[in-house]
Amino acid sequence: MIYYPEKYSIRDQRMKPFIDPDEIWNFIKNTPSDKQRVHEVIQASLDKKRLSLEETAVLINATDPELVEEIKEGARTLKEKVYGERIVLFAPLYVGDLCTNNCQYCGFRSENKGVKRLTLSRDQLIQETTALIDQGHKRLILVYGEHPKYSADFIAETVNIVYKVKHDNGEIRRVNINAAPFDIQGFRTIKDAGIGTFQIFQETYHEPTYAKVHLGGVKRNYDWRLTSLDRAQEAGIDDVGIGALFGLYDWRFEVMSLVRHVNHFEAVYNVGPHTISFPRIQNAMSLNIQKNHLVSDEEFVRLVSILRLAVPYTGMILTAREPKHIRDQVLRFGVSQIDGGTNLELGGYSKGPAKDDQDLSMEQFQINDNRSLNEIMDELIKTGYIPSFCTACYRLGRTGEHFMEFSVPGFIKRFCSPNALLTLAEYLEDYAPAETKENGYKLIHQKIDELAEHQKVEQLREKVEQVKGGKRDLYF
Ligand code: SAM
Ligand code: SF4
């Protein structure tokens, strides 16, 4: 399974495997990295160039603590320069844990007989969605095991149900999906339901490791999964999310492969993936993996910084798998989206706040940050971040918003920041306790003043007043 760029035309590369392990190892083993090269590469990224595999290897091979700090500093500067202080919030909603696959890292795998299997009924899905709306959420990611019951029609139907739920002033405005790969027709059916991003993680791009941890079911087929988001693109879903599950194989290989995956999309479809996820393996019921590639906190922060610099216009997602102190660090180094108020128990949101002692027979894996959405909002506001529930681009048909944020001068200040502030105002009006509300409005007024050069701030102030007066869903 080798990728020969010189032999295939771009058209031929569609839906073809594109990872060449020799090529990747060659870059890792033979790319020199010194101070000057690291500076040049960081500068290239700050000049808004997506890094090549060779340049990414320069950063990976920089192990001197001083250079590692410079890489982190570069990532921080890039994040501040390009994305500003906005952090987009979402919640995962598990729709069903039936699964015919046997992934050795996952609590839902078919051989785990102790897992309570459940697929939310229509009413349960409505209840869960209502509970999430009542927390203040506007964006969900629906998550499914891989099972014949979770067909494309089933997924489309669940998306439709979620979009129809309205409660008080709230509603879900963007539904993303994390589910098994489909064929082109299946992806079309799901696209027609009006989804946002379709996420599929390769888990590991290293084929022999992939074979060792995927012991049953359709997911055993490495190529079917590797080319899945190509099929999504062919079906018209140009908003896709890639990811690797860190801890299965050497993190350096996975980072290089993620960058290779991005290159592939850019070369073939002219658009990179919308988001990258980099979950680290967490404890799960009967977790059964070798522990020699687990990623330390230090390596994790490093790899997030390298990814930020390597693919500067891709959204980066961090989930409640990571504890607060790691979240706080990587928010500075590049993460643009986090979940809040997460509860992985099927049907768990409508039962109230997540418990400290998770029952792993009901959940895919352990989470390490079970703060409520409001606790997270509070913290973000106090730290000066602008929490955002904005879904404007998606609803105006402006797909590839991260790319636009990155490449269209002034886009963030004209659209993203004002829209983030308007969605924050909605949250403060509808869901926030008094203290959060007070701090939130202080932040809004301060940020509006800072936007004065770039945005018609009077219009923005007026819209904030309209939100206070009861209007909802206002955006630029
Ligand atoms: N069943 C679909 C699939 O496998 O693509 C849906 C996604 S699965 C429910 C979501 C993701 O959770 C997986 O792609 C995997 O990366 C991650 N995951 C599974 N087990 C995990 C664990 N023990 N710790 C952290 N993440 C895990
Ligand atoms: Fe099933 Fe996905 Fe878990 Fe694998 S990771 S066992 S496919 S739910």
Side-chain angles (χ1 to χ4, degrees):
M1 197 222 2
I2 293 187
Y3 164 68
Y4 293 109
E6 71 279 15
K7 283 196 188 166
Y8 291 116
S9 71
I10 296 246
R11 173 81 216 172
D12 288 337
Q13 289 167 31
R14 288 179 180 218
M15 296 186 281
K16 291 245 165 48
F18 48 84
I19 295 289
D20 176 353
D22 295 338
E23 177 193 47
I24 288 176
W25 274 120
N26 192 25
F27 277 121
I28 298 173
K29 288 191 179 145
N30 300 318
T31 304
S33 179
D34 57 31
K35 201 169 177 158
Q36 190 189 336
R37 225 18 226 127
V38 170
H39 288 175
E40 285 165 7
V41 171
I42 294 175
Q43 196 49 51
S45 176
L46 293 177
D47 290 341
K48 299 190 170 187
K49 294 193 188 91
R50 199 255 302 127
L51 301 183
S52 65
L53 286 179
E54 190 266 336
E55 289 168 322
T56 309
V58 168
L59 299 185
I60 285 178
N61 288 339
T63 49
D64 180 302
E66 198 186 309
L67 290 183
V68 170
E69 279 313 306
E70 288 190 30
I71 291 170
K72 287 195 219 162
E73 207 41 52
R76 188 206 304 257
T77 309
L78 182 76
K79 168 145 199 248
E80 281 167 11
K81 186 170 145 190
V82 175
Y83 294 100
E85 313 94 334
R86 284 165 312 122
I87 300 289
V88 170
L89 288 143
F90 70 95
L93 170 52
Y94 279 70
V95 179
D97 66 358
L98 302 184
C99 196
T100 48
N101 292 328
N102 197 357
C103 312
Q104 296 301 297
Y105 44 81
C106 178
F108 290 166
R109 67 178 186 272
S110 55
E111 71 182 2
N112 247 351
K113 301 297 174 214
V115 166
K116 294 177 191 133
R117 304 282 170 182
L118 178 70
T119 304
L120 299 183
S121 66
R122 185 188 184 85
D123 284 350
Q124 285 169 318
L125 184 56
I126 293 172
Q127 275 171 22
E128 288 291 280
T129 307
T130 309
L132 283 159
I133 290 173
D134 289 349
Q135 284 189 27
H137 279 292
K138 301 282 185 269
R139 283 178 179 237
L140 299 186
I141 179 148
L142 302 188
V143 187
Y144 311 74
E146 180 157 4
H147 191 272
K149 183 165 177 160
Y150 308 144
S151 63
D153 285 329
F154 174 87
I155 290 180
E157 178 57 18
T158 53
V159 172
N160 289 330
I161 294 171
V162 169
Y163 275 133
K164 284 197 190 114
V165 181
K166 311 275 171 207
H167 197 239
D168 298 330
N169 283 334
E171 70 207 331
I172 297 302
R173 297 178 185 156
R174 176 174 171 128
V175 176
N176 299 331
I177 301 289
N178 187 323
F182 285 89
D183 59 14
I184 296 175
Q185 189 47 50
F187 277 121
R188 272 198 199 114
T189 303
I190 297 171
K191 176 188 160 57
D192 290 347
I195 60 160
T197 311
F198 204 117
Q199 285 184 355
I200 296 176
F201 306 156
Q202 185 60 24
E203 321 295 13
T204 172
Y205 287 87
H206 186 248
E207 202 170 351
T209 304
Y210 189 95
K212 271 191 217 149
V213 296
H214 296 107
L215 299 184
V218 181
K219 196 166 168 180
R220 275 182 65 71
N221 188 330
Y222 173 94
D223 285 353
W224 174 251
R225 195 156 178 102
L226 188 66
T227 55
S228 55
L229 292 172
D230 285 51
R231 294 192 297 282
Q233 294 272 4
E234 299 288 331
I237 302 178
D238 58 2
D239 187 337
V240 298
I242 63 172
L245 180 57
F246 280 87
L248 295 175
Y249 188 57
D250 192 314
W251 67 265
R252 298 170 303 164
F253 186 91
E254 308 294 12
V255 167
M256 292 289 283
S257 302
L258 286 166
V259 175
R260 181 70 193 86
H261 205 158
V262 173
N263 302 355
H264 169 76
F265 277 126
E266 284 179 355
V268 182
Y269 298 101
N270 225 358
V271 53
H274 187 66
T275 55
I276 291 196
S277 300
F278 29 87
R280 271 198 296 184
I281 290 190
Q282 305 300 323
N283 194 22
M285 194 181 193
S286 341
L287 181 71
N288 182 27
I289 55 146
Q290 290 187 349
K291 307 260 163 87
N292 50 330
H293 290 301
L294 293 185
V295 173
S296 69
D297 288 354
E298 205 185 313
E299 288 167 329
F300 187 67
V301 175
R302 227 177 111 198
L303 79 84
V304 174
S305 307
I306 294 172
L307 274 173
R308 173 68 301 151
L309 289 167
V311 289
Y313 54 81
T314 307
M316 291 178 67
I317 302 181
L318 187 83
T319 66
R321 291 173 179 91
E322 296 299 336
K324 178 182 177 313
H325 70 279
I326 294 289
R327 278 213 199 201
D328 291 348
Q329 282 192 59
V330 294
L331 275 182
R332 291 200 295 276
F333 299 133
V335 163
S336 49
Q337 287 190 31
I338 57 172
D339 51 349
T342 295
N343 187 338
L344 296 193
E345 181 184 334
L346 274 122
Y349 288 113
S350 40
K351 290 186 193 158
K355 291 184 257 49
D356 283 337
D357 52 334
Q358 279 178 259
D359 175 1
L360 287 181
S361 70
M362 294 286 280
E363 302 176 35
Q364 194 189 14
F365 51 80
Q366 189 158 352
I367 58 169
N368 290 300
D369 187 349
N370 61 6
R371 285 175 294 168
S372 69
L373 177 61
N374 195 70
E375 284 172 288
I376 291 189
M377 296 291 287
D378 243 357
E379 169 108 12
L380 290 172
I381 291 168
K382 282 185 188 143
T383 327
Y385 287 111
I386 311 176
S388 174
F389 296 95
C390 177
T391 53
C393 279
Y394 159 70
R395 293 160 74 228
L396 290 167
R398 297 192 296 232
T399 51
E401 70 225 36
H402 287 293
F403 184 74
M404 287 198 276
E405 289 169 13
F406 186 72
S407 55
V408 180
F411 190 89
I412 294 185
K413 293 198 163 116
R414 272 186 291 139
F415 298 105
C416 312
S417 300
N419 289 341
L421 294 172
L422 287 169
T423 57
L424 174 58
E426 285 190 342
Y427 175 84
L428 299 177
E429 289 300 321
D430 292 337
Y431 307 104
E435 197 193 324
T436 314
K437 192 166 174 179
E438 196 186 321
N439 291 335
Y441 272 117
K442 267 191 213 147
L443 181 81
I444 290 178
H445 296 308
Q446 178 201 328
K447 295 293 169 192
I448 293 182
D449 290 341
E450 288 171 17
L451 282 172
E453 279 172 50
H454 309 273
Q455 158 69 246
K456 296 185 184 96
V457 286
E458 285 322 311
Q459 246 183 11
L460 177 55
R461 283 189 223 279
E462 206 175 292
K463 281 195 192 317
V464 170
E465 289 308 310
Q466 287 173 345
V467 172
K468 286 186 185 169
K471 277 216 170 160
R472 293 293 172 266
D473 208 10
L474 303 175
Y475 46 83
F476 291 91

